Amino acid sequence: MKLWISLLLLISNVYCYHIATGIADITGPVTQVMLMGYAALGQTGQGILQRLWSRAFIIFDEESESRIVFVNTDTQSMGDIVKKRVVEGLQAKYGPTIYTVHNVMISSTHSHSGMGGYLQYTLYELAALGWIEETVKPMVDGIIQSIVTAHENLQEGSLSLSHGELLNTNINRSPQSYLMNPIEERLLYKYDVDKNMSVLSFRNKVGEGLGFISWFPVHGVSVNNTNKLINGDNKGYAAYFAEKVMNDTKYSDSGHRFVAAFAQQNEGDVSPNTLGPFCTGTDISCDGTRNLKCPNGSSCVGRGPAWKKSDLESNRIIGENQAYKALELYNTYSDSIPVNGKIDYVQRYWDITKAVVTDKNGARVQLCYPAMGYAFAAGTTDGPALNGFYQNTTKGTFGWDLIKDILQKPSKEQRDCQAPKPILLDTGEIGALQPWQPKILDIQLFRIGNVYIYAVPSEFTTMSGRRLRTSIKTALIKHHLGDEDTVVIHSGPANGYASYCATFEEYQHQRYEGASTPYGPHTLDAYINAFDELVFMMANPNNHSIKSEELPDYTNQGFNLTPRYRSDQPHLFRSFGDVLKDVSSNYYSKQTLPSPFTVSAVFVAGNPRNDPMLGKTFLTVEKKIGNNEWEIIRTDNDYDTRFIWKYKHQLFGTSEATVEWHVPNDIEPGVYRLGYMGNSRLPFSNEIKPHKGYSGEFEISNLY
């Protein structure tokens, strides 16, 4: 009873917007395409652990006719051209004024286990072997569909904001760099990472839940760089778990009503590997530097909370931590803050290399052309990269200097500008191919009453995010747009990708985050000034003195090194969908088997690249409920299933798909079967034909 009274009080005191949520599948090619995030050569997709989703939230103020769209995607980042194409698609459907680049914000979860190929700059194309339209099209189509679903379901409703501390879920992976920041600044904060979660809740006019957006900083690297199955990492799992709870479904599909988004914040130096880094195969602690080198054959790798069991179990724990906290905040009506007031937005395309800032000595300094340092090649303790490179590297080596100068020798101006970074890749001065890193960045600021959400394309470290948040709030107060109760929320990487942004002090240390800050030591100051200008633009909508650049499109100059694939052939004397290897038994006793135990079957398959199966599934687990009637209880979006594909004879186009079900202990006794769904491409034709197959029936029992 008290719960309903609290809810009614909340509803009666909130501003009524028109709001809606939408969700759609954005999973692209799950095989033969490199995963985006670790840039680990050979980390090429071989199937699905979970699907990737776009979650859209529309807030519309009917009185002012202002609306904003926040989209969260299960991706490493967001391509600026992807956003541009999404807006073009929306404008083709709804006209040129309802949805624009100004009021659509697309922010990522920063999962490192999704397919790559949607970033248009050479450095990021190399990390995924190209600009891959196979990835881009389903991503664009899915994002548009999620927004269309929300658009077509707008209804009166209310918003509320909650905050809470979440522990045991993130740590700082570069604490040495964090300590470079001034002690008086560090003393303002309890932790060396942000542990505060913010949840923006959406309810209709009668108080029914439509969804929420949660923001919390933690890298999407719980699933390690040996993984080859597509998934949304810890935030993808958090959304899956929360939506199952709120929708009370037995399995996860695209028909959700309640939509739970787990957006990213200033996660640049924030790791989910909460036990810290150790040399693999030992209990020797390490930090990725030359001073604490691991023994030969060992790497410095962070350990998740369940590292002894598996990275997937660590991923589940970190995801569930976020889901439980978000659900707690969503359901705690009495402690939430009603969100009401004006809807507004500003956005500009900003050339960061033209930015001029004032340094600590009072001198005017221009930002650098982009470049990446030696420690960039070292990777992080979440995913070590190349042997022979170390974090905290402020001097180059003779051998690597000779090699990198062959590609592009940095000019004296570039070396001076980037100091103390020893330049390994002079991406801003390389003339080969299209530009290697962006100069034009999409920056954006949303207003929802006294709540402001800003989007940045860079991965901000903990302290750089704190400084920018504080600066934006100060500017809002200065321009009479905010007060001491104003809430400012960091969201990103969003609307594009521009690597990292460390503080000036952290940059001096040249760990991975500083080495990967492309535009030099004053990058954060440039962002702060740019958002001061965005706040000015919002406060002075009729003043057009601050100009926006044009976003370049280099996709026609891109390359695609993903392997070509040919037509499909079934195995000899077989048809597509036939069972090659059936389940190992027709009876499984939970009393005698470990939990979970695995049931699997292998099928004659076609290449999954023939059709990404948006909104569908490559597999099912089905329970018999009557005379030859079956109920689907799992799809390829469920965490206890695996869809794994491989060529048997690539030359002849014959392949096979394995469907696995890791059966949990709480599964109901009964008769089950595994299903496979796929598509084959006919020889000498582009015609795609669907096929499917089923395993034999098997019983799961509580008895011996």
Side-chain angles (χ1 to χ4, degrees):
M1 186 67 179
K2 291 175 66 178
L3 184 67
W4 282 106
I5 293 172
S6 298
L7 178 57
L8 290 171
L9 287 172
L10 175 66
I11 295 168
S12 65
N13 286 285
V14 294
Y15 190 90
C16 189
Y17 299 108
H18 281 74
I19 60 175
T21 62
I23 183 170
D25 190 354
I26 59 170
T27 311
V30 301
T31 59
Q32 298 186 292
V33 172
M34 274 190 67
L35 307 192
M36 182 62 190
Y38 290 111
L41 196 63
Q43 193 189 12
T44 302
Q46 292 182 354
I48 293 182
L49 173 61
Q50 288 192 290
R51 285 191 169 263
L52 308 183
W53 301 91
S54 170
R55 295 172 170 89
F57 300 78
I58 299 178
I59 306 170
F60 174 56
D61 181 4
E62 194 171 40
E63 183 176 332
S64 65
E65 295 190 345
S66 292
R67 79 178 64 209
I68 55 175
V69 184
F70 180 89
V71 179
N72 195 46
T73 58
D74 291 332
T75 54
Q76 183 269 346
S77 57
M78 180 42 53
D80 49 12
I81 297 301
V82 172
K83 176 182 171 178
K84 179 183 177 184
R85 292 186 185 180
V86 166
V87 170
E88 289 171 348
L90 292 170
Q91 291 178 341
K93 187 174 181 67
Y94 297 116
T97 59
I98 294 180
Y99 299 109
T100 70
V101 294
H102 305 297
N103 70 349
V104 175
M105 179 186 294
I106 309 180
S107 191
S108 68
T109 61
H110 198 50
S111 167
H112 283 45
S113 290
M115 62 287 300
Y118 51 88
L119 302 177
Q120 66 164 332
Y121 295 94
T122 299
L123 181 65
Y124 310 130
E125 287 187 0
L126 288 172
L129 298 184
W131 170 265
I132 304 170
E133 289 289 346
E134 262 185 275
T135 294
V136 174
K137 187 179 186 306
M139 186 178 295
V140 170
D141 290 348
I143 295 171
I144 291 173
Q145 183 56 56
S146 68
I147 297 171
V148 169
T149 298
H151 179 94
E152 294 178 350
N153 288 279
L154 279 167
Q155 57 186 296
E156 290 185 6
S158 60
L159 307 175
S160 61
L161 187 69
S162 305
H163 304 286
E165 186 178 79
L166 174 58
L167 302 178
N168 304 315
T169 304
N170 61 359
I171 64 168
N172 197 308
R173 70 185 186 189
S174 290
Q176 306 92 331
S177 293
Y178 181 86
L179 291 173
M180 300 288 287
N181 295 305
I183 187 170
E184 58 271 18
E185 181 180 36
R186 288 186 277 118
L187 288 173
L188 297 173
Y189 303 97
K190 186 176 180 181
Y191 304 106
D192 60 1
V193 294
D194 287 337
K195 294 185 180 289
N196 193 57
M197 176 181 282
S198 299
V199 172
L200 182 65
S201 300
F202 289 64
R203 293 183 175 87
N204 65 18
K205 64 180 181 181
V206 297
E208 294 172 336
L210 301 178
F212 63 69
I213 309 169
S214 157
W215 285 273
F216 181 79
V218 60
H219 244 87
V221 291
S222 290
V223 183
N224 66 36
N225 60 9
T226 65
N227 166 63
K228 296 185 179 181
L229 299 181
I230 297 299
N231 69 87
D233 209 87
N234 57 67
K235 288 186 179 290
Y237 183 85
Y240 162 81
F241 184 87
E243 286 169 351
K244 284 191 72 173
V245 169
M246 296 304 293
N247 290 297
D248 193 27
T249 54
K250 290 185 179 179
Y251 70 96
S252 181
D253 64 10
S254 59
H256 299 296
R257 183 179 65 85
F258 190 96
V259 179
F262 286 78
Q264 193 58 267
Q265 288 197 291
N266 47 325
E267 45 59 56
D269 54 357
V270 186
S271 171
N273 293 310
T274 52
L275 300 185
F278 292 83
C279 297
T280 54
T282 76
D283 287 323
I284 302 171
S285 62
C286 56
D287 63 3
T289 67
R290 190 184 299 272
N291 295 333
L292 292 176
K293 288 171 61 175
C294 288
N296 287 339
S298 180
S299 300
C300 185
V301 178
R303 291 177 177 175
W307 71 277
K308 288 185 177 181
K309 186 173 183 181
S310 73
D311 60 329
L312 296 185
E313 181 63 12
S314 291
N315 184 64
R316 184 193 62 77
I317 292 170
I318 299 299
E320 280 190 3
N321 287 354
Q322 293 175 78
Y324 280 127
K325 174 54 71 171
L327 290 167
E328 173 194 324
L329 294 172
Y330 173 81
N331 288 314
T332 309
Y333 305 114
S334 58
D335 294 334
S336 63
I337 305 166
V339 177
N340 52 69
K342 184 177 182 180
I343 298 294
D344 203 358
Y345 51 86
V346 286
Q347 178 271 353
R348 66 183 284 219
Y349 291 120
W350 167 55
D351 189 339
I352 189 172
T353 64
K354 293 180 180 177
V356 177
V357 302
T358 302
D359 70 12
K360 62 181 181 180
N361 299 316
R364 300 285 284 167
V365 181
Q366 184 166 336
L367 270 284
C368 314
Y369 287 122
M372 305 295 269
Y374 267 67
F376 161 70
T380 72
T381 54
D382 290 328
L386 300 179
N387 291 332
F389 289 91
Y390 301 94
Q391 298 200 60
N392 188 22
T393 298
T394 54
K395 291 183 179 180
T397 63
F398 176 75
W400 278 110
D401 279 348
L402 286 177
I403 294 170
K404 57 99 172 174
D405 284 351
I406 295 173
L407 181 61
Q408 177 64 50
K409 184 175 183 179
S411 64
K412 182 180 185 304
E413 293 78 11
Q414 179 77 318
R415 293 196 304 272
D416 291 345
C417 187
Q418 292 278 353
K421 177 194 291 178
I423 296 172
L424 180 66
L425 288 174
D426 186 14
T427 54
E429 294 185 322
I430 296 175
L433 304 174
Q434 73 268 31
W436 282 53
Q437 286 184 283
K439 296 179 182 177
I440 309 298
L441 307 184
D442 184 336
I443 56 174
Q444 194 172 27
L445 180 65
F446 278 179
R447 177 181 185 179
I448 316 167
N450 210 21
V451 176
Y452 292 81
I453 305 166
Y454 68 91
V456 290
S458 301
E459 299 182 52
F460 276 58
T461 61
T462 297
M463 194 62 85
S464 61
R466 288 169 173 171
R467 288 185 194 174
L468 182 54
R469 272 200 308 264
T470 300
S471 174
I472 290 173
K473 184 170 181 175
T474 300
L476 290 168
I477 294 172
K478 173 185 174 183
H479 289 283
H480 308 292
L481 295 176
D483 53 35
E484 291 302 325
D485 294 325
T486 295
V487 176
V488 179
I489 296 174
H490 179 114
S491 201
N495 298 336
Y497 189 62
S499 295
Y500 281 71
C501 178
T503 67
F504 177 86
E505 295 83 358
E506 292 164 350
Y507 188 93
Q508 310 307 306
H509 202 233
Q510 283 297 295
R511 279 183 66 82
Y512 177 84
E513 295 80 17
S516 301
T517 298
Y519 310 103
H522 302 289
T523 298
L524 174 58
D525 290 333
Y527 267 110
I528 287 172
N529 290 350
F531 274 92
D532 281 348
E533 293 176 340
L534 275 189
V535 172
F536 174 85
M537 291 167 63
M538 184 173 282
N540 300 276
N542 297 319
N543 185 317
H544 303 295
S545 59
I546 299 172
K547 304 299 181 183
S548 183
E549 305 281 350
E550 289 289 325
L551 178 69
D553 186 340
Y554 300 110
T555 56
N556 287 334
Q557 302 174 39
F559 56 88
N560 184 352
L561 301 180
T562 55
R564 292 181 176 273
Y565 65 103
R566 51 155 296 160
S567 60
D568 300 290
Q569 295 287 345
H571 293 228
L572 195 62
F573 307 121
R574 299 277 193 164
S575 299
F576 291 111
D578 282 357
V579 175
L580 290 170
K581 183 180 180 181
D582 210 343
V583 294
S584 60
S585 174
N586 60 8
Y587 183 85
Y588 296 91
S589 169
K590 290 195 288 183
Q591 298 293 332
T592 60
L593 293 168
S595 180
F597 61 91
T598 302
V599 179
S600 66
V602 182
F603 299 85
V604 178
N607 193 322
R609 290 172 68 185
N610 292 323
D611 183 348
M613 303 279 279
L614 283 184
K616 302 176 185 176
T617 181
F618 284 107
L619 70 83
T620 57
V621 178
E622 303 179 16
K623 183 180 181 183
K624 200 169 191 177
I625 57 173
N627 186 20
N628 212 29
E629 292 183 17
W630 296 87
E631 177 188 17
I632 297 173
I633 66 160
R634 297 288 194 276
T635 70
D636 63 12
N637 189 52
D638 283 290
Y639 202 65
D640 55 10
T641 64
R642 314 281 188 271
F643 172 75
I644 305 166
W645 176 89
K646 68 177 182 179
Y647 268 124
K648 190 68 174 176
H649 300 289
Q650 186 169 357
L651 180 63
F652 301 110
T654 58
S655 63
E656 60 187 39
T658 300
V659 173
E660 290 183 359
W661 182 25
H662 295 242
V663 184
N665 192 52
D666 62 355
I667 200 69
E668 295 177 354
V671 176
Y672 296 86
R673 70 179 183 182
L674 306 179
Y676 156 66
M677 294 81 198
N679 296 272
S680 60
R681 184 152 63 99
L682 299 180
F684 313 109
S685 164
N686 287 324
E687 183 181 353
I688 305 296
K689 293 192 67 174
H691 57 257
K692 62 182 178 180
Y694 294 95
S695 73
E697 299 178 10
F698 56 93
E699 181 181 357
I700 296 178
S701 173
N702 285 333
L703 303 176
Y704 283 96

